[in-house]
Amino acid sequence: MYGLLTGAIVTDPKKQLDIAPRLLEWFDVNGRKGLPWQRDTTPYRVWVSEIMLQQTQVATVIPYFERFMSRFPTVQALAHASEDAVLTLWTGLGYYSRARNLHKTAQEVVHNFNGEFPDDLAQLKQLAGIGPSTAGAIASIAMAMRAPILDGNVKRVLARYHRVAGWPGQTTTANVLWSLAERHTPHVRVADYTQAIMDLGATLCTRSQPSCDRCPLNLSCLAYRRGDTQQFPGKKPKKNLPVKAVTFIIARNGQGAIWLEKRPSKGIWGGLWSFPEVQDADTIGDWCRLVAGAELHRVELAPILRHTFSHYHLDIQPAYVVIADSAANGISLQDSDNQQAGWISARALQTKGLPAPVVKLIKALEPTAG
Ligand code: SF4
C-alpha cells in the first residue's frame, strides 16, 4: 500500500492537472483487478456492470452480475429474452428503469448495429440508459478510446482535488467537473486510468473519512491541503419530499397463491408484478367481488411500510385479505407473458420481477404460504 507521501507540495496549476501518472502507479500496486467484469472485458460486460453499479455497491452487484451473465452471456441472449426474465434477475437491485433500458438497448444493438456496440461516443450516448459517463466507461475500458468518465466516485475525487464548489447535480458544477475529467484523461493506458480513478474514489477517497494519508494525490489535493475534504462535493439542497399513500391488497386463495398484477411499463415499478392498489381500505370489498370474484371475509391491516423514491415517499398500508367465498379458489389464470393479473403460485413467483416492498410483504406471508 502507499505510505505517507513526502515531497514538495504541488502548487503549480499545470502540474496539478497531471494526476494520471500518479494514479496509474498507485493502480498498478493497489487497484482492484479481480472483479468479474474485469475478466473477458467486452463492451457488453462493461456496459451491464456500469448500469448495475449506478446507485449500487460493488459487493451487492457481484452476484447479480454473475447470475445475469450466466443467463444472458451475450447481447443477443439479452435482446431475445422476455422483459419478465430480465426484471426477475433484477429483483432486489431497484431502479428498474435500468433493467428495462438494458433490455431495450440490447435489442437496438442487435437490430441496428449488427450486435456490436458502436465505437463512437455520440452513438453510444443515443442508446437508452447510456449517459455520458457510462458511454465513457464503455469506450475507455472496453475499446481503449480516450473518453472521460464522471461517475459518483470520480465526481468526489475531482471535486475534492480541485475544491470545486457546488452540488454536482447542478449543471454549472457538472460542467466544471466534466471539463476537468476531460483534461485529466490520458492518451495512454486509458482503460487502466478509468479503472484507477474509480477505484481511488471507491477505496480511498470515500464519502466519509477519506484515507488521504495513503492517497497518491495528497501532495496536490487542494481540499486535503486545506483540511476541508468534507465540504466537497457540495451537498444536494434539501427539500421535503411529498408523501403519497396507497393500500396494497394482499389476497391469497385456498392454494396459497397470491393475487398480483403486472404494472404498466411506464411509471414506477414499470413492468414489475405488484399487489392491487386501492386508495383506502373501504373499497377492498368491491375489489374482491369485481376482480377476484369472491366475497370479502376479513381484512387485517398491518403497520404502514414507507418506501422512498427519489421524488416522494410512498406510505403503503398492507391489507391482508381473507376471502370467504371458496369460488376464489377456483380462479386459476394461466401464467404467461401476456397475462396482466391473476393468482400466482409460489413457484411462478420465482419467475416474476417484484418491487422490493412486495418481496418484503410476501416474505412476511411465508410461514403460512402454501
Ligand atoms: S487526498 Fe484525500 S480528498 Fe484528496 S483525492 Fe486523495 S483521498 Fe481524496
Side-chain angles (χ1 to χ4, degrees):
M1 298 292 277
Y2 246 80
L4 185 64
L5 293 181
T6 54
I9 294 170
V10 178
T11 50
D12 177 348
K14 279 201 187 121
K15 286 201 176 133
Q16 215 220 350
L17 279 171
D18 206 15
I19 66 171
R22 282 173 285 160
L23 269 182
L24 286 166
E25 192 187 330
W26 171 82
F27 175 74
D28 287 340
V29 181
N30 301 285
R32 297 179 296 182
K33 311 217 176 54
L35 298 171
W37 44 90
Q38 293 174 319
R39 289 193 304 269
D40 184 22
T41 311
T42 62
Y44 173 65
R45 289 170 64 86
V46 171
W47 167 57
V48 172
S49 71
E50 285 295 318
I51 300 296
M52 286 186 170
L53 286 164
Q54 290 167 4
Q55 328 273 355
T56 313
Q57 299 285 325
V58 166
T60 308
V61 164
I62 289 174
Y64 279 91
F65 181 82
E66 303 272 32
R67 277 195 294 272
F68 204 90
M69 283 301 142
S70 83
R71 181 79 190 274
F72 310 122
T74 60
V75 70
Q76 286 80 3
L78 178 57
H80 294 130
S82 71
E83 186 181 82
D84 263 350
V86 179
L87 290 171
T88 300
L89 281 189
W90 206 269
T91 291
L93 269 181
Y95 300 95
Y96 292 90
S97 58
R98 295 185 293 173
R100 289 194 299 278
N101 282 335
L102 269 183
H103 193 213
K104 195 169 151 196
T105 289
Q107 292 171 338
E108 205 178 332
V109 169
V110 167
H111 296 134
N112 299 346
F113 295 96
N114 209 18
E116 301 284 339
F117 280 80
D119 57 357
D120 176 277
L121 268 186
Q123 284 187 321
L124 279 172
K125 284 189 263 185
Q126 297 284 314
L127 297 168
I130 300 190
S133 187
T134 305
I138 297 169
S140 61
I141 296 174
M143 302 171 179
M145 287 165 58
R146 182 180 178 272
I149 66 152
L150 193 65
D151 71 354
N153 285 320
V154 179
K155 283 177 190 163
R156 196 164 54 250
V157 171
L158 294 181
R160 287 173 175 168
Y161 187 74
H162 291 283
R163 291 185 86 246
V164 176
W167 172 52
Q170 279 161 333
T171 311
T172 43
T173 309
N175 287 345
V176 173
L177 292 171
W178 267 115
S179 105
L180 289 166
E182 159 67 33
R183 289 161 71 188
H184 280 303
T185 304
H187 290 269
V188 292
R189 293 191 67 192
V190 70
D192 286 347
Y193 169 83
T194 298
Q195 196 62 58
I197 193 163
M198 289 195 294
D199 282 6
L200 188 87
T203 61
L204 296 187
C205 197
T206 49
R207 213 174 295 269
S208 56
Q209 298 182 331
S211 304
C212 301
D213 55 340
R214 291 189 287 128
C215 176
L217 307 182
N218 64 9
L219 289 179
S220 49
C221 173
L222 295 183
Y224 176 55
R225 308 302 331 172
R226 292 279 286 265
D228 56 8
T229 55
Q230 286 313 306
Q231 305 301 315
F232 300 91
K235 304 267 180 302
K236 183 179 181 178
K238 273 218 161 53
K239 60 173 183 197
N240 288 330
L241 293 180
V243 178
K244 296 185 185 177
V246 72
T247 297
F248 273 2
I249 300 176
I250 306 170
R252 269 192 304 174
N253 69 11
Q255 286 81 48
I258 302 167
W259 186 284
L260 293 179
E261 298 177 348
K262 186 167 183 171
R263 298 181 63 89
S265 49
K266 292 243 164 8
I268 63 158
W269 299 329
L272 299 186
W273 288 76
S274 184
F275 298 113
E277 294 176 9
V278 287
Q279 280 312 303
D280 62 69
D282 293 344
T283 53
I284 293 175
D286 295 341
W287 178 87
C288 287
R289 269 189 306 281
L290 294 173
V291 183
E295 283 303 315
L296 172 65
H297 178 57
R298 200 172 69 241
V299 177
E300 288 167 14
L301 298 179
I304 285 174
L305 181 67
R306 173 164 285 191
H307 185 78
T308 298
F309 295 99
S310 54
H311 47 306
Y312 65 92
H313 299 294
L314 183 65
D315 280 355
I316 299 165
Q317 169 64 75
Y320 289 93
V321 167
V322 178
I323 293 173
D325 191 339
S326 60
N329 299 342
I331 297 174
S332 176
L333 302 180
Q334 296 300 307
D335 291 333
S336 79
D337 282 350
N338 296 327
Q339 186 196 318
Q340 300 302 304
W343 295 109
I344 309 292
S345 67
R347 188 178 51 77
L349 270 180
Q350 311 297 319
T351 64
K352 304 281 181 231
L354 306 167
V358 172
V359 171
K360 199 168 181 180
L361 291 165
I362 289 177
K363 276 195 180 142
L365 272 173
E366 271 174 5
T368 53

